[in-house]
Amino acid sequence: MVEIKKQIITNEAMEPVGVIISYQDWQKIEALLKNQISRDNSLDLMAFAGTIQLTIDPLDYQRQEREAWQ
């Protein structure tokens, strides 16, 4: 884990609302995130490409679901 020096910003109620970090630490975080995304294969939506067989008309299904909310 990368050690990041940070300063927490709070509002009047002393609730954390922001963080200040150095630009160098920000660059390290971005590099780590970029590496993580490039290794993550779950973002490849082409694995889900294709067709599905529906047993009911989509508009009828939508109407049924909306009626269930009332």
Side-chain angles (χ1 to χ4, degrees):
M1 182 94 184
V2 177
E3 180 67 27
I4 299 174
K5 296 178 184 172
K6 56 193 168 286
Q7 180 180 358
I8 298 175
I9 308 300
T10 58
N11 62 11
E12 295 83 14
M14 299 305 293
E15 299 167 330
V17 295
V19 178
I20 296 176
I21 61 173
S22 71
Y23 185 70
Q24 290 81 12
D25 286 341
W26 173 249
Q27 289 178 318
K28 290 178 191 176
I29 292 169
E30 282 191 324
L32 290 171
L33 290 173
K34 185 176 180 181
N35 289 338
Q36 181 66 29
I37 290 173
S38 66
R39 289 185 284 147
D40 187 5
N41 292 335
S42 68
L43 296 177
D44 183 16
L45 297 179
M46 289 305 295
F48 301 102
T51 61
I52 59 172
Q53 300 297 323
L54 300 176
T55 58
I56 186 172
D57 181 59
L59 289 177
D60 289 338
Y61 176 77
Q62 185 179 34
R63 285 185 193 104
Q64 289 174 5
E65 290 299 312
R66 287 186 177 173
E67 288 173 2
W69 295 348
Q70 295 176 358

